[in-house]
């Protein structure tokens, strides 16, 4: 698995100050995608164990972070490896809240409870879901590109068996 | 004969200088000269007129007024005398205005007298008038250190007026009752609310709406008034955040609300610079009386870059804090100036200010004594400190020399300031009396620039790159501070250390050092030197690290300092991150803090946020429509950094590394 971007601190990919990792590779090929380069699974640098540990050290050592955001590409095409990384993160840095982006919808990802995608979903806290639809593009949306995309509270949704939207502590 | 020729030759030379100065200004030939100050349009008629005065006044001070060793130190490119154009005439720098006193007693602008206001609307209008009247007495900033406390009584007056009206309208008054029977009417009178609910509610709503209107008009006024010969907007600052009475809270809330609404077409106001005063127990945690206003301030700052945040709990500020006297709460002149302590006992803010400051070019001393030129393998610290002492003494002598000129000025020269007692005690002076005895309550400050480049020149690494170098950097700034403390004792004056807000200065030392030494990587290869003790804007560190590295310097710089974090992204969409960073900085005992984030505005559709080459909202390209790009410089905002910043500051903005990239 390759990563094609890493921001140690970002305010653009989820609430609060978050580390952001971009996983290479996507097969949705949404027209108007802001970064088609990231469709290629070979793009970027190999996500070696050493690099993983380096990033985990960054996260553990930064008192300002609210969590980690994983995006891409689409991390769910590398679900098993991404799950492995999150396990390592939680092992070494404790409970770090994870946001994750996908072109799949929550319903697609949660359909089969024995799938790698479902397992990855369960390791995360908030899902930004759905393909990017250029006709629905809206630059005023929070943390996403088109209005079909949703911010989903994963824990609540899994518990209730349906997609439940995430709510910001600031707008609650 | 030969003597004569020589003399004529000298005069010719002087004449050449005088003519060239005028030519450059009249023909806008020297843009750097005209853009020295981002809030003065130096290419306008009035801007040029004031430049004529200013440049000739500097020239005169250089040739005929300043001590020769100070002139030499300036020529050596190690000492910089700020606002040199004001040196010869003895103007002082800045002040915290006692608005409470001026509003409470009324005042005279010189052209007519003004009665104390009877409503919050009028009080806010008078605030603008007082700012404008005062700023002509000085050359630097004018600041309100506790505007919420100062204005609260007038919100109460408005409330009382509406309440009495309400009693009449709603026929709630009891038979035979007079206004006097009600006692002092205020928003905190819950008994009145219970007995006369309709009048109370009516008075509340009217007062809220009037206060908001007053705040809007205040902000509009302070962005539109011209002064100082029409070329400049007054450098106004307002500090607030700690007044917990319902009236004071309304004032704070209204100012924040009006700021978020923006100016006429919704654009971000440039003035006044706003500072929210943070104090544990008052507004820092859920359950504290003004916590909601702190949250609103963070939201406002994420939208508008203001307010900045002052830390009343930082040890150097807490030392003078008296909860019963808001005049002892740390506040700033906006750019960062701090004047809290006074060895003559006026340990409060209003009624005094900074008198003047001289800044040291640490970089050149570093180049001369460091390893960077390859002359030596180890830094010559003894030589460095020896020469530093030499120039510190000259800078100090310069401050004293100027102080003597300032002290000798007659009260009538700073008419409004003295006659109205804006400078505490001034009202007791006769017009012809010298102001000297009063000025001793102000501060004389030694500033510095380029700690980062100095360390790089000395040791090959700057203070964010190496722990050992960092310790040496702290030692150097501590040394400067102890020099100031010793001078305070020796001279019996308030001498303080300043993390200089270098705007005009940011590129001046650099340009000349590069001419002397060439372009040295990490030292003179950029157009500017790094501000004060800051981690260089181009050096990549996390927000938390930058805050940790800079915090200890705040405690040393008792004349004031500011730290910034650069956020890359739409901060207004993410208040959680914003809030967390602010409180982390306060916890690390940063005295004055602010978060920079880009605010661009598309003139085609009014969209505000981050705009690249094309507007994300309407798709207009920057080549077709004007994109106004707002950035902070030295604590203040300026209209558009691309047209108003000097080239050094433009380069600095381009180089700023985002702590969230």
């Amino acid at each position: 698995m390759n990563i094609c971007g890493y921001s140690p601190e970002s305010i653009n990919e989820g609430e609060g100050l978050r580390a952001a990792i971009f996983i290479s590779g996507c097969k949705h090929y949404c027209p108007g995608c802001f970064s088609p380069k990231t469709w290629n699974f070979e793009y970027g640098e190999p996500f070696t164990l050493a690099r993983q540990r380096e990033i985990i050290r960054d996260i553990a050592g930064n008192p300002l972070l609210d969590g980690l955001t994983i995006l891409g590409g689409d991390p769910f095409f590398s679900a098993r490896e991404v799950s492995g990384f999150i396990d390592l993160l939680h092992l070494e840095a404790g409970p770090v809240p994870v946001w994750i982006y996908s072109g799949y919808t929550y319903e697609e990802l949660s359909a089969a409870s024995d799938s790698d995608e479902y397992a990855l979903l369960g390791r995360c806290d908030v899902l930004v879901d759905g393909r990017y639809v250029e006709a629905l593009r809206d630059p005023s949306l929070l943390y996403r590109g088109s209005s079909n995309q949703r911010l989903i509270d994963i824990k609540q949704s899994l518990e209730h068996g349906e997609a439940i939207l995430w709510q910001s502590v600031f707008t609650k | 004969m030969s003597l004569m020729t020589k003399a004529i030759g000298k005069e010719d030379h002087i004449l050449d200088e005088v003519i060239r100065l005028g030519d450059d200004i009249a023909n806008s030939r020297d843009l750097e000269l005209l853009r020295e100050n981002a809030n003065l349009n130096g290419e306008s008629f009035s801007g040029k007129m004031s430049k004529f005065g200013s440049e000739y006044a500097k020239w005169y001070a250089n040739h005929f007024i300043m001590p020769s060793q100070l002139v030499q130190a300036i020529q050596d490119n190690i000492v910089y005398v700020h606002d040199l154009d004001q040196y010869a005439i003895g103007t002082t720098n800045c002040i915290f205005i006692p608005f409470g006193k001026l509003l409470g007693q009324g005042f005279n602008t010189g052209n007519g007298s003004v009665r104390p206001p009877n409503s919050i609307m009028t009080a806010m209008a008078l605030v603008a008038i007082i700012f404008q009247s005062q700023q002509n007495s000085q050359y630097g900033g004018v600041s309100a250190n506790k505007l919420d406390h100062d204005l609260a009584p007038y919100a109460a007056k408005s409330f009382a007026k509406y309440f009495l009206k309400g009693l009449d309208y709603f026929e709630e008054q009891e038979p035979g009752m007079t206004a006097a029977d009600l006692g002092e009417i205020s928003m905190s009178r819950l008994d009145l609310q219970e007995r006369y609910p309709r009048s109370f509610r009516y008075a509340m709503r009217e007062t809220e709406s009037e206060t908001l209107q007053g705040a809007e008009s205040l902000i509009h006024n302070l962005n539109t008034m011209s002064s100082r010969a029409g070329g400049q907007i007054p450098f106004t600052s307002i500090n607030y955040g700690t007044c917990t009475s319902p009236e004071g809270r309304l004032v704070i809330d209204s100012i924040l609300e009006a700021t978020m609404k923006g100016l006429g077409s919704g654009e971000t106001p440039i003035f006044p610079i706003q500072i929210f005063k943070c104090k544990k127990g008052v507004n820092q945690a859920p359950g504290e009386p003004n916590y909601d206003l702190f949250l609103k301030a963070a939201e406002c700052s994420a939208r508008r870059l203001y307010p900045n945040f002052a830390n009343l709990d930082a040890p150097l500020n807490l030392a003078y804090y008296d909860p019963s006297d808001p005049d002892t709460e740390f506040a700033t002149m906006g750019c960062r100036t701090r004047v809290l302590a006074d060895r003559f006992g006026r340990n409060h803010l209003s009624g005094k200010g900074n008198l003047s400051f001289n800044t040291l070019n640490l970089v050149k001393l570093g180049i001369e004594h460091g390893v960077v030129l390859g002359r030596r393998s180890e830094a010559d610290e003894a030589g460095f400190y020896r020469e530093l002492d030499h120039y510190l003494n000259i800078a100090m002598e310069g401050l004293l020399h100027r102080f003597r000129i300032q002290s000798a000025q007659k009260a009538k020269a700073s008419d409004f300031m003295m006659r109205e007692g804006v400078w505490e005690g001034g009202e007791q002076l006769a017009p012809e009396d010298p102001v000297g005895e009063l000025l001793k309550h102000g501060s004389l400050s030694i500033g510095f620039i380029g700690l980062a480049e100095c360390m790089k020149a000395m040791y090959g690494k700057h203070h964010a790159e190496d722990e050992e170098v960092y310790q040496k950097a702290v030692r150097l700034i501590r040394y400067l501070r102890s020099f100031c403390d010793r001078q305070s004792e020796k001279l019996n004056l308030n001498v303080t250390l300043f993390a200089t807000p270098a705007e005009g200065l940011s590129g001046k030392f650099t340009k000349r050092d590069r001419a002397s030494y060439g372009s040295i990587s990490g030292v003179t290869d950029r157009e500017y030197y790094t501000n004060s003790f800051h981690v260089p804007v181009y050096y990549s560190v996390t927000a938390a690290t930058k805050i940790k590295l800079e915090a200890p310097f705040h405690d040393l710089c008792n004349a004031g300092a500011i730290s910034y974090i650069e956020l890359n992204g739409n901060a207004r969409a993410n208040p959680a991150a914003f809030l967390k960073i602010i409180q982390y900085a306060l916890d690390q005992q940063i005295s004055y803090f602010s978060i920079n984030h880009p605010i661009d505005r598309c003139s085609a559709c009014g969209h505000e946020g981050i705009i690249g080459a094309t507007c994300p909202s309407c798709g207009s390209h920057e080549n077709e429509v004007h994109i106004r790009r707002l950035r902070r410089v030295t604590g203040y905002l300026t209209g558009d950094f691309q047209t108003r910043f000097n080239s050094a500051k433009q380069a600095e903005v381009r180089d700023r590394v985002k702590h969230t990239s």
Side-chain angles (χ1 to χ4, degrees), chain B residues 638-650:
Chain B
T638 53
D640 181 345
F641 91 94
Q642 291 160 309
T643 54
R644 286 295 186 83
F645 278 24
N646 59 52
S647 62
K649 272 291 165 195
Q650 284 193 23

Side-chain angles (χ1 to χ4, degrees), chain B residues 422-614:
Chain B
V422 181
W423 192 285
E424 193 173 328
E427 69 277 14
Q428 285 151 20
L429 296 181
E432 299 290 330
D433 287 348
V435 296
E437 186 51 25
L438 291 178
L439 291 192
K440 70 179 186 188
H441 297 286
S443 60
L444 302 170
S445 306
I446 300 231
F448 61 93
I449 185 172
L451 178 63
E453 288 82 7
C454 172
M455 290 297 111
K456 191 99 179 170
M458 285 287 278
Y459 309 108
K461 284 178 178 171
H462 62 68
H463 58 306
E465 290 180 304
D466 184 278
E467 174 59 26
E468 208 176 311
V469 174
Y470 180 77
Q471 294 308 331
K472 289 178 187 292
V474 174
R475 184 187 154 214
L476 168 55
I477 302 308
R478 189 171 286 135
Y479 184 87
L480 295 178
R481 168 63 186 275
S482 75
F483 173 85
C484 294
D485 289 352
R486 283 199 310 277
Q487 295 296 320
S488 291
E489 290 302 319
K490 189 176 127 195
L491 302 164
N492 197 23
L493 286 168
N494 295 306
V495 182
T496 50
L497 181 64
F498 201 17
T500 296
E503 185 192 338
L505 180 57
S506 62
K508 282 181 186 164
F509 280 143
T510 322
K511 205 171 185 175
R512 290 187 50 204
D513 284 347
R514 195 189 303 147
S516 308
Y517 301 103
S519 173
I520 305 170
S521 170
V523 181
T524 57
D525 60 341
R526 290 185 167 78
E527 284 184 67
Y528 55 90
Y529 285 153
T530 296
N531 204 303
S532 63
F533 53 71
H534 288 172
V535 170
V537 295
Y538 48 81
Y539 185 69
S540 180
V541 285
T542 63
T545 306
K546 185 169 196 286
I547 288 167
K548 266 194 193 147
L549 289 171
E550 293 185 5
F553 294 104
H554 280 251
D555 201 46
L556 295 171
C557 297
N558 56 343
I562 189 169
S563 279
Y564 299 116
I565 288 300
E566 301 289 328
L567 276 190
N568 187 19
N570 190 4
R572 59 180 66 186
N574 198 336
F578 210 82
L579 199 63
K580 193 161 192 179
I581 296 171
I582 294 164
Q583 289 204 305
Y584 182 78
L586 298 177
D587 280 345
Q588 299 298 312
Q589 299 176 344
I590 294 242
S591 175
Y592 181 37
F593 182 70
S594 193
I595 298 178
N596 287 330
H597 51 95
I599 296 185
D600 301 326
R601 182 182 175 86
C602 171
S603 60
C605 70
H607 172 82
E608 274 197 341
I610 300 168
I611 304 179
T614 55

Side-chain angles (χ1 to χ4, degrees), chain B residues 99-114:
Chain B
F99 279 102
K101 179 170 89 178
L102 291 172
L103 292 172
Q105 301 173 356
F107 55 92
N108 190 315
T109 61
N111 300 312
S113 61
V114 178

